[in-house]
Amino acid sequence: MWLAPEEVLVANALWVTERANPFFVLQRRRGHGKGGGLTGLLVGTLDVVLDSSARVAPYRILHQTQDLQVYWTVACGSSRKEITKHWEWLENNLLQTLSIFDNEEDITTFIKGKIHGIIAEENKNLQPQGDEDPGKFKEAELKMRKQFGMPEGEKLVNYYSCSYWKGRVPRQGWLYLTVNHMCFYSFLLGKEVSLVVQWVDVTRLEKNATLLFPESIRVDTRDQELFFSMFLNISETFKLMEQLANLAMRQLLDSEGFLEDKALLRPIRPHRNISALKRDLDARAKNECYRATFRLPRDERLDGHTGCTLWTPFNKLHIPGQMFISNNYICFASKEEDACHLIIPLREVTIVEKADSSSVLPSPLSISTKSKMTFLFANLKDRDFLVQRISDFLQKMPSKQPGSSIGERKASVVVTTPESPSAAQDVLEQPASPSSTLGGCRSICTQVPTASQGLLKLFQRNSSTEVLGAKGAKEKMKEESWNIHFFEYGRGMCMYRTARTRELVLKGIPEGLRGELWLLFSGAWNEMVTHPGYYAELVEKSTGKYSLATEEIERDLHRSMPEHPAFQNELGIAALRRVLTAYAFRNPTIGYCQAMNIVTSVLLLYGSEEEAFWLLVALCERMLPDYYNTRVVGALVDQGIFEELTRDFLPQLSEKMQDLGVISSISLSWFLTLFLSVMPFESAVIIVDCFFYEGIKVVLQVALAILDANMEQLLVCSDEGEAMTVLGRYLDNVVNKQSVSPPIPHLHALLTSGDDPPVEVDIFELLKVSYEKFSSLRANDIEQMRFKQRLKVIQSLEDTAKRSVVRAIPGDIGFSIEELEDLYMVFKAKHLASQYWGGSCTAAIRRDPSLPYLEQYRIDASQFQELFISLTPWACGSHTPVLAGRMFRLLDKNKDLLINFKEFVTGMSGMYHGDLTEKLKVLYKLHLPPEALPQEEQEEADNEDVREKRGEEKGTSPQDYRHYLRMWAQEKEAQKETIKDLPKMNQEQFIELCKTLYNMFSEDPMEQDLYHAIATVASLLLRIGEVGKKFSVRAGRKSRDIACSGDHGRTTAATVEVESPVPELHQDTAWEPQLSAAGDLQAKASGDTHLGKAPQESQVVGEGGSSEGQGSPSQLLSDDETKDDMSMSSYSVVSTGSLQCEDLTDDTVLVGGEVSSHVAAAHCEGTVDADWCISFEQILASILTESVLVNFFEKRVDIGLKIKDQKKVERQFSTSSDHEQSGVSG
């Protein structure tokens, strides 16, 4: 490649000059290519350690000046061929021009200008791509691609200098982190290390600190452990590795590949060594942290953050912290975790103004909201820019939202937009009554009162304070406490959230405020306000739609809190049905999962349908990620965290719990339903209060407190059942003595045993203990543990899927379990590669994780071809891709242009483990025409499109699963195909088969003997076909005449239409030339067709035509005579690679005088002999006469070696020896 000219002071250090002229020098890096010795090893080591560009481009061209003092680089090359091309261009285009110049400086200036012009011309075509990566980074990406054989689609994210510990010896080198792979390369004094690990194969990734490795990163896969250390910035490296591994796990979980964020703001000047992808991933990490901290919608993007102070009127202090600004929110988080959190939606903002600065209050900024609250920020570093950004976001707010005004007190510039109608303003000003926003829902649910209020208000009895007595007074005090809090700290989304707020939540939220505060703390209120009418629209769309999700919902409706009066009638059941169906319609990936019904029924008790829907959205998509998908991955991840925390906090109990296997049994029911299914309702709802405020941390703390409280009893348990009984009794007796709701009988309370009355446990006491003993848990720590456990869980699920798929393969397939597992990994890697690099989007697009395991990974024709070429024992040189295409069509039974693992293994097994007959049968089928006519293929494709559209409309329907059941049932039926069922082969197909066999033998040790044998067999079979033709040629003509004069497109049992075949005929097997001599003779004799006689006659003549029959042509000449007369000449034809139709028909010796002259005459007319045919039995019998062919097909080949080679091919390593060869060949 051409380089912008740079000055080189010492031209010959570490470089060897190979060519020179008065103006240019071509040099090679010392040690590259042949020889090099110790100097070459030292130079190679230096290049790797110092990350020199000479490692990728070991050739360069310099412009030399007359005094030989100064040189300028003008080009570099990775191979001799590339650099020679540049050298020749310079000689042909510049030398003559340069000889005219007199002045040395003019020559240098001219060359510089010319090279800059060439580079500008080359870069002109690259401009539209918007490639912003800096030059140094592009160079590193080029090295990575060359070193590890990665395609253009594999993007480098970042690279780091580090050491890889191979045994006890550290190897200094470079770690390249790409979107899909982790690569390492080291070259030290001739010792080369090259590693490539796919992120989807990583099972463990963690930072270690041991005596041997002070600060290292450990990366585990299923078959190796890797340690890397001596990083300049280990935290940054590990964080990036975590992100990339997380993306890979997400891809395995729901097939979401990495997509670059196009909306990300681009820097004016990109950093020297940071790629656009690295900035993208950093921005994603910040966005995720920002949204999780403040419970914001998933599409919210952080614009920026800055340090500042916030004036808190409740304690008259300026609290230091960080201000965050995004498209729709201004947020504040104090440096002390519990001091203060604040969320200001821009839709609430009325005035933003810059106040006067003072020494006490530098750079203040005042923000006022519609709820008459004013927030004062100070110590802002770049206040003017900040105000401008807020102004820009306010102007982009939807027009239907109330307007905002931005003012500046000193400049007296006030821009005010008209206020919206007061009714809309009231709605936004009063988050305390969220039900007032549900007018849209009433339009479609007018007869359903649950559309506008919680079910508890409709079904609560004896709710007056006088009747409730002490409990009522306690509830009244709680309400007063919250009202005082609202007065001091604000109410609604803009409330100051402090340690005082948490204290009140822990004491229990009053029944009347529970729905409102759940909406605020979870962030569901934000989404509900910004999506008015969305729920009503979903209900309308989903009403009457039938899917697997709706079927499961109907089944579980009456199991949702059946003990509560609200769900003992159609009113509550109908509301629950609508919410669950609407969510399944919104998020078909989750659809419906058991336990969602229990959680949703509780949400409906305290809020309207729309509020319950948005709370469910917050739970499933943000607060409990991946909990409710088909494999409950999120719950399994948190179960792993729970086990880890048990080991840390309760070590003496941990081992016992593992032995009993209790944790896996209890944690799923505890976490999935937030204790609602295992505790009395009025107690569990207190945990839900805390969960909406604190997140999953509370659930883990309470679970640990429960184990701690029952430790003594659990340690003496002898089995899982006993331990479950202990925990069940304890949970049944967790009571809420302050509850004002009438007690609801708990159906789970059936585990009482013994005569001792159960000890009641107060829920508030349990919460208090959980905070006292286990409050050291932090949200950041939990997220870190979640990542670690997610790797384990998803890889464990992938292993389960692999075992399930392998078990689904029939036992007679021939491969061992280990071989099947290896094949599955290769097959899966090929599918994933299509998602990595976009080589084939078909399989990636159609992958559906909800399908049965066997159908999840499928490959298309191009991917199959790559696997076939590397794994087949039948290597046919340049003919192999053609054979692969035919094999794919043979295996693709349902014609969806994709094959699953079972079909793939069936094809491989036929080639590796079939007997001689089976292998020949596969080869025979591969040379018959494909099964579908072109127009039928098109119709099939059209029907497939229609099916896809219907599938999209209906979602995952039960019919899909019935289809798979029918398919499996059909597979279990015995469908043994006999050799009699195989159609006959015409002349051109037979010639193609001979050509394939010839190519197949080209690299065999017995090559010459095999050529001789196949030539003999081919000659014999051509004679057999000619003899068979004599019986049928006249009858064939007569039958064709009948077919032409009658119905042209119709065939009967004895009258068969025969067409002149062309290479790669696309026609149905039912239309293949069935050249039955007996049938034709019968047709000729009677002039009519008889259904009963043709098959019998066909069988008689088939026997006569076979090599074992009495009149068989093979007995016309003895074996010795056949070999003596014909084998040498036929061998000469075959061995020249000319087994093509034209050459065979022109060769008069191969088939004998009479036969060949007839075939040659047919060839001269431009047609193939349509009457000639051969059966599979005849081919089999002929091949059995040649022992060398029999031995070739019965020889066993180890597929394990092929699989290992395939894994190497997937990631080709460009080692130093490769560079040397390319240099020499160049």
Side-chain angles (χ1 to χ4, degrees):
M1 59 184 287
W2 298 105
L3 299 175
E6 287 185 12
E7 194 173 336
V8 177
L9 295 176
V10 185
N12 294 317
L14 309 181
W15 292 86
V16 180
T17 299
E18 294 200 337
R19 293 193 194 180
N21 60 41
F23 302 102
F24 298 102
V25 179
L26 189 154
Q27 295 184 328
R28 171 177 54 82
R29 188 71 166 176
R30 198 178 293 277
H32 181 79
K34 277 190 176 179
L38 181 60
T39 311
L41 293 179
L42 289 170
V43 172
T45 302
L46 274 174
D47 286 344
V48 170
V49 173
L50 301 176
D51 195 30
S52 166
S53 59
R55 183 156 62 90
V56 175
Y59 297 93
R60 70 180 183 182
I61 297 173
L62 304 178
H63 161 55
Q64 62 179 352
T65 56
Q66 292 286 341
D67 55 6
L68 300 179
Q69 295 292 321
V70 179
Y71 292 80
W72 300 84
T73 56
V74 294
C76 68
S78 59
S79 66
R80 191 181 296 273
K81 183 179 178 183
E82 182 186 356
I83 205 70
T84 304
K85 182 181 172 187
H86 289 328
W87 179 263
E88 288 172 353
W89 188 92
L90 291 170
E91 284 188 328
N92 296 334
N93 295 280
L94 288 190
L95 280 189
Q96 194 171 353
T97 309
L98 295 176
S99 60
I100 301 169
F101 287 94
D102 296 327
N103 190 341
E104 183 72 28
E105 291 182 4
D106 292 347
I107 292 174
T108 303
T109 305
F110 177 79
I111 289 172
K112 283 185 184 178
K114 197 71 179 171
I115 299 299
H116 278 300
I118 294 170
I119 294 171
E121 190 65 32
E122 285 180 348
N123 289 342
K124 192 190 297 182
N125 300 327
L126 300 175
Q127 289 302 317
Q129 295 177 5
D131 195 353
E132 301 161 0
D133 292 341
K136 179 76 175 168
F137 190 85
K138 287 180 186 173
E139 191 179 292
E141 191 165 46
L142 183 67
K143 290 176 196 169
M144 179 273 297
R145 290 215 182 103
K146 182 172 176 57
Q147 194 65 56
F148 303 104
M150 295 291 178
E152 286 288 326
E154 184 68 345
K155 300 289 186 185
L156 179 65
V157 181
N158 213 350
Y159 62 104
Y160 301 93
S161 172
C162 68
S163 290
Y164 161 62
W165 289 81
K166 191 169 185 182
R168 296 184 178 181
V169 182
R171 300 293 177 87
Q172 184 66 28
W174 290 86
L175 184 70
Y176 297 91
L177 305 180
T178 73
V179 172
N180 303 298
H181 296 86
M182 180 190 76
C183 312
F184 177 83
Y185 181 77
S186 170
F187 180 84
L188 292 176
L189 300 176
K191 298 287 185 182
E192 185 181 55
V193 177
S194 190
L195 289 171
V196 176
V197 175
Q198 291 186 50
W199 290 119
V200 290
D201 291 337
V202 172
T203 57
R204 183 175 178 180
L205 179 64
E206 61 187 25
K207 261 197 299 191
N208 276 349
T210 62
L211 289 173
L212 185 59
F213 308 120
E215 254 194 333
S216 65
I217 294 175
R218 175 178 177 173
V219 182
D220 288 7
T221 63
R222 287 178 177 83
D223 49 10
Q224 58 184 336
E225 294 178 4
L226 309 172
F227 291 89
F228 301 92
S229 65
M230 300 188 198
F231 290 93
L232 290 174
N233 188 340
I234 193 168
S235 298
E236 180 197 326
T237 311
F238 183 70
K239 184 179 173 186
L240 181 57
M241 291 169 85
E242 268 191 337
Q243 283 180 284
L244 293 168
N246 247 330
L247 284 170
M249 294 306 105
R250 176 59 54 189
Q251 189 181 44
L252 288 176
L253 187 60
D254 52 20
S255 71
E256 275 186 14
F258 174 78
L259 293 173
E260 196 172 345
D261 190 351
K262 301 295 182 188
L264 188 67
L265 293 172
R266 305 303 183 196
I268 299 167
R269 289 186 178 178
H271 190 276
R272 182 168 175 266
N273 287 331
I274 295 183
S275 67
L277 281 178
K278 174 72 167 62
R279 288 189 301 101
D280 187 329
L281 286 167
D282 288 345
R284 284 179 189 224
K286 287 180 180 177
N287 283 331
E288 284 169 13
C289 182
Y290 170 62
R291 290 192 293 261
T293 304
F294 298 104
R295 307 272 171 83
L296 300 176
R298 288 193 300 174
D299 55 354
E300 198 62 25
R301 295 171 187 276
L302 179 64
D303 186 69
H305 58 93
T306 182
C308 67
T309 59
L310 171 66
W311 170 253
T312 49
F314 51 86
N315 60 1
K316 308 292 189 293
L317 289 174
H318 289 283
I319 297 180
Q322 289 272 325
M323 176 195 276
F324 302 85
I325 297 176
S326 58
N327 316 36
N328 301 294
Y329 298 90
I330 299 170
C331 301
F332 174 85
S334 58
K335 284 185 179 177
E336 290 180 38
E337 189 178 357
D338 290 336
C340 183
H341 265 51
L342 180 66
I343 302 168
I344 308 172
L346 289 181
R347 63 177 181 269
E348 298 278 342
V349 174
T350 54
I351 297 173
V352 178
E353 59 183 356
K354 292 187 281 188
D356 293 329
S357 288
S358 66
S359 57
V360 180
L361 205 63
S363 304
L365 180 68
S366 170
I367 299 176
S368 301
T369 66
K370 298 186 183 69
S371 54
K372 306 298 184 286
M373 292 181 73
T374 300
F375 303 96
L376 186 62
F377 297 92
N379 291 287
L380 292 160
K381 289 179 183 175
D382 197 347
R383 185 175 59 165
D384 293 341
F385 178 74
L386 194 69
V387 170
Q388 185 57 48
R389 292 302 294 162
I390 295 172
S391 169
D392 293 343
F393 287 132
L394 284 169
Q395 287 173 4
K396 290 177 185 174
M397 293 300 290
S399 57
K400 64 181 177 181
Q401 295 286 359
S404 314
S405 66
I406 303 149
E408 187 175 335
R409 199 172 277 176
K410 290 297 279 182
S412 68
V413 177
V414 180
V415 181
T416 310
T417 55
E419 292 293 329
S420 64
S422 58
Q425 190 171 342
D426 289 343
V427 168
L428 287 169
E429 282 177 1
Q430 296 178 353
S433 53
S435 58
S436 60
T437 60
L438 289 176
C441 190
R442 292 193 191 111
S443 63
I444 59 165
C445 321
T446 48
Q447 77 282 10
V448 185
T450 53
S452 59
Q453 56 183 319
L455 293 173
L456 204 62
K457 292 178 183 175
L458 296 171
F459 292 93
Q460 196 169 21
R461 300 182 298 275
N462 301 329
S463 57
S464 64
T465 310
E466 293 77 15
V467 175
L468 293 170
K471 286 185 179 180
K474 185 78 174 173
E475 185 77 359
K476 196 76 175 169
M477 285 172 62
K478 280 187 191 176
E479 287 179 6
E480 280 302 315
S481 298
W482 275 99
N483 287 329
I484 293 167
H485 185 271
F486 291 148
F487 179 77
E488 291 182 5
Y489 295 83
R491 185 167 189 171
M493 192 50 72
C494 300
M495 174 171 58
Y496 293 98
R497 303 171 195 213
T498 65
R500 173 65 182 154
T501 315
R502 176 194 283 152
E503 287 173 20
L504 286 175
V505 171
L506 281 173
K507 289 177 181 176
I509 298 175
E511 299 277 352
L513 295 173
R514 187 163 273 141
E516 174 193 342
L517 292 175
W518 283 2
L519 283 168
L520 294 178
F521 295 151
S522 67
W525 174 242
N526 284 321
E527 292 191 275
M528 191 171 85
V529 169
T530 52
H531 295 83
Y534 176 80
Y535 172 71
E537 189 180 324
L538 269 184
V539 171
E540 196 169 12
K541 283 181 181 175
S542 60
T543 302
K545 294 286 171 65
Y546 180 75
S547 68
L548 185 66
T550 58
E551 189 176 290
E552 291 176 342
I553 288 167
E554 286 299 324
R555 191 173 61 237
D556 283 352
L557 282 176
H558 294 279
R559 303 175 190 170
S560 311
M561 294 189 68
E563 63 274 20
H564 197 286
F567 297 99
Q568 291 170 354
N569 62 77
E570 189 52 34
L571 191 69
I573 295 293
L576 184 60
R577 179 188 292 115
R578 281 192 293 274
V579 173
L580 290 172
T581 308
Y583 185 78
F585 200 79
R586 165 193 166 87
N587 191 343
T589 307
I590 291 177
Y592 170 77
C593 173
Q594 281 189 332
M596 283 172 72
N597 59 321
I598 295 171
V599 175
T600 309
S601 58
V602 173
L603 300 178
L604 277 167
L605 290 176
Y606 295 100
S608 66
E609 275 186 36
E610 185 174 17
E611 290 165 354
F613 170 80
W614 286 111
L615 282 167
L616 185 63
V617 168
L619 270 175
C620 296
E621 296 174 13
R622 288 188 284 110
M623 299 188 74
L624 296 175
D626 301 322
Y627 258 60
Y628 299 105
N629 59 22
T630 48
R631 297 188 278 182
V632 293
V633 171
L636 291 171
V637 167
D638 285 350
Q639 175 184 302
I641 293 174
F642 183 44
E643 290 180 18
E644 195 174 332
L645 292 173
T646 307
R647 280 195 298 273
D648 294 343
F649 288 104
L650 307 169
Q652 66 273 41
L653 184 60
S654 173
E655 194 174 334
K656 180 72 174 179
M657 297 294 279
Q658 290 294 333
D659 293 341
L660 295 176
V662 174
I663 287 186
S664 57
S665 304
I666 58 175
S667 52
L668 279 182
S669 59
W670 291 5
F671 296 162
L672 279 169
T673 64
L674 303 173
F675 291 99
L676 288 163
S677 63
V678 293
M679 258 188 207
F681 164 72
E682 57 273 11
S683 303
V685 82
I686 304 297
I687 295 176
V688 178
D689 289 345
C690 299
F691 167 76
F692 277 122
Y693 188 77
E694 294 264 47
I696 193 64
K697 169 188 165 181
V698 175
V699 178
L700 292 168
Q701 283 180 186
V702 171
L704 287 169
I706 291 168
L707 292 187
D708 185 46
N710 292 278
M711 187 184 298
E712 291 180 9
Q713 290 173 278
L714 289 171
L715 286 172
V716 296
C717 288
S718 56
D719 56 33
E720 182 187 0
E722 190 179 349
M724 293 293 288
T725 303
V726 168
L727 292 170
R729 285 192 71 193
Y730 180 86
L731 288 166
D732 285 335
N733 292 287
V734 176
V735 297
N736 177 5
K737 296 175 181 176
Q738 300 176 14
S739 174
V740 292
S741 299
I744 299 165
H746 185 44
L747 298 186
H748 191 263
L750 302 171
L751 295 169
T752 54
S753 60
D755 300 326
D756 299 332
V759 178
E760 288 188 343
V761 181
D762 187 74
I763 181 63
F764 296 103
E765 190 60 33
L766 179 62
L767 275 171
K768 183 183 173 185
V769 170
S770 76
Y771 270 89
E772 285 173 355
K773 290 191 175 182
F774 309 109
S775 61
S776 58
L777 277 178
R778 291 285 176 273
N780 290 341
D781 298 336
I782 291 172
E783 280 308 311
Q784 189 67 41
M785 286 190 280
R786 270 182 169 169
F787 163 73
K788 189 172 157 186
Q789 293 297 331
R790 195 177 291 118
L791 285 179
K792 282 186 187 175
V793 168
I794 293 180
Q795 295 295 10
S796 171
L797 290 170
E798 287 296 307
D799 289 342
T800 303
K802 178 173 69 176
R803 288 192 294 271
S804 300
V805 169
V806 168
R807 278 201 301 269
I809 305 300
D812 59 354
I813 210 74
F815 291 116
S816 67
I817 296 294
E818 291 76 17
E819 288 172 337
L820 283 172
E821 289 184 349
D822 286 343
L823 279 171
Y824 176 80
M825 295 308 289
V826 169
F827 185 86
K828 174 179 156 187
K830 185 58 67 179
H831 166 89
L832 290 174
S834 69
Q835 293 179 296
Y836 291 165
W837 302 317
S840 170
C841 296
T842 313
I845 290 169
R846 298 187 190 190
R847 188 205 166 195
D848 181 359
S850 65
L851 288 176
Y853 287 134
L854 195 60
E855 294 293 324
Q856 284 187 18
Y857 294 114
R858 295 181 290 174
I859 58 175
D860 63 14
S862 62
Q863 294 166 310
F864 175 79
Q865 180 178 308
E866 293 168 17
L867 282 180
F868 183 88
I869 289 170
S870 58
L871 295 177
T872 180
W874 298 342
C876 303
S878 59
H879 191 61
T880 311
V882 177
L883 206 63
R886 292 174 179 174
M887 177 66 88
F888 182 84
R889 290 193 291 274
L890 183 69
L891 296 175
D892 185 18
K893 302 290 186 189
N894 57 356
K895 304 298 174 196
D896 63 350
L897 305 180
L898 295 168
I899 62 168
N900 63 27
F901 180 67
K902 186 175 181 180
E903 292 164 336
F904 171 73
V905 169
T906 304
M908 287 289 122
S909 177
M911 293 187 286
Y912 276 95
H913 296 293
D915 56 19
L916 172 70
T917 306
E918 288 299 317
K919 289 178 179 177
L920 286 175
K921 194 193 292 182
V922 171
L923 271 175
Y924 185 85
K925 285 180 181 177
L926 292 181
H927 292 81
L928 294 173
E931 295 186 358
L933 288 166
Q935 63 265 28
E936 290 174 339
E937 286 180 359
Q938 184 59 45
E939 287 170 16
E940 192 114 12
D942 294 341
N943 291 338
E944 190 177 354
D945 291 340
V946 172
R947 282 197 298 272
E948 280 182 7
K949 286 176 184 172
R950 285 177 184 165
E952 287 170 11
E953 289 171 9
K954 291 182 68 175
T956 311
S957 66
Q959 281 85 344
D960 295 336
Y961 285 80
R962 285 199 284 271
H963 161 73
Y964 287 114
L965 289 171
R966 280 198 302 272
M967 189 173 73
W968 292 331
Q970 287 169 7
E971 286 174 0
K972 288 191 174 183
E973 292 174 9
Q975 294 180 343
K976 200 70 180 173
E977 183 183 47
T978 64
I979 55 177
K980 296 281 185 186
D981 298 329
L982 294 172
K984 293 192 176 183
M985 183 178 275
N986 68 25
Q987 194 176 65
E988 184 168 2
Q989 292 157 7
F990 174 69
I991 291 167
E992 283 290 316
L993 175 61
C994 291
K995 189 165 79 172
T996 300
L997 290 169
Y998 162 72
N999 286 320
M1000 200 183 288
F1001 304 149
S1002 63
E1003 295 178 6
D1004 196 272
M1006 302 288 292
E1007 185 177 1
Q1008 297 302 319
D1009 294 339
L1010 287 165
Y1011 286 157
H1012 190 284
I1014 195 60
T1016 306
V1017 168
S1019 304
L1020 179 62
L1021 287 167
L1022 282 166
R1023 282 171 169 267
I1024 291 172
E1026 288 297 325
V1027 172
K1029 188 180 74 170
K1030 289 179 181 177
F1031 288 99
S1032 60
V1033 64
R1034 293 176 187 173
R1037 285 173 189 163
K1038 175 97 182 251
S1039 64
R1040 283 199 297 277
D1041 292 342
I1042 294 168
C1044 292
S1045 60
D1047 185 0
H1048 196 69
R1050 188 176 301 162
T1051 58
T1052 60
T1055 306
V1056 182
E1057 182 183 350
V1058 181
E1059 299 176 0
S1060 297
V1062 294
E1064 296 298 318
L1065 258 178
H1066 295 277
Q1067 63 184 33
D1068 198 291
T1069 47
W1071 290 72
E1072 288 173 16
Q1074 303 284 342
L1075 295 178
S1076 166
D1080 292 336
L1081 288 170
Q1082 179 73 18
K1084 183 182 177 185
S1086 63
D1088 200 354
T1089 57
H1090 299 284
L1091 296 173
K1093 298 178 182 177
Q1096 297 170 0
E1097 294 291 336
S1098 173
Q1099 188 175 356
V1100 172
V1101 177
E1103 288 170 2
S1106 73
S1107 57
E1108 297 172 357
Q1110 289 185 348
S1112 102
S1114 63
Q1115 292 178 354
L1116 298 177
L1117 292 169
S1118 70
D1119 287 348
D1120 294 334
E1121 287 173 345
T1122 305
K1123 288 178 184 174
D1124 292 342
D1125 291 346
M1126 304 180 60
S1127 60
M1128 285 309 294
S1129 58
S1130 58
Y1131 166 70
S1132 66
V1133 172
V1134 176
S1135 63
T1136 55
S1138 58
L1139 255 176
Q1140 299 204 9
C1141 190
E1142 300 91 326
D1143 299 327
L1144 280 171
T1145 51
D1146 285 338
D1147 193 289
T1148 55
V1149 185
L1150 181 64
V1151 292
E1154 181 188 349
V1155 173
S1156 68
S1157 61
H1158 176 83
V1159 176
H1163 172 59
C1164 293
E1165 294 171 347
T1167 61
V1168 177
D1169 193 342
D1171 296 317
W1172 189 98
C1173 70
I1174 201 87
S1175 70
F1176 176 72
E1177 297 101 308
Q1178 292 165 336
I1179 292 175
L1180 177 61
S1182 303
I1183 285 178
L1184 285 170
T1185 62
E1186 296 289 340
S1187 60
V1188 66
L1189 290 175
V1190 173
N1191 292 339
F1192 175 83
F1193 282 107
E1194 289 188 343
K1195 178 175 63 180
R1196 295 191 68 81
V1197 183
D1198 182 12
I1199 197 171
L1201 298 173
K1202 295 269 188 184
I1203 292 171
K1204 285 179 184 175
D1205 292 341
Q1206 160 63 14
K1207 288 179 179 176
K1208 289 178 186 175
V1209 167
E1210 281 174 6
R1211 299 178 294 275
Q1212 304 157 358
F1213 299 146
S1214 302
T1215 61
S1216 56
S1217 59
D1218 294 332
H1219 295 324
E1220 288 164 17
Q1221 289 167 7
S1222 64
V1224 173
S1225 63

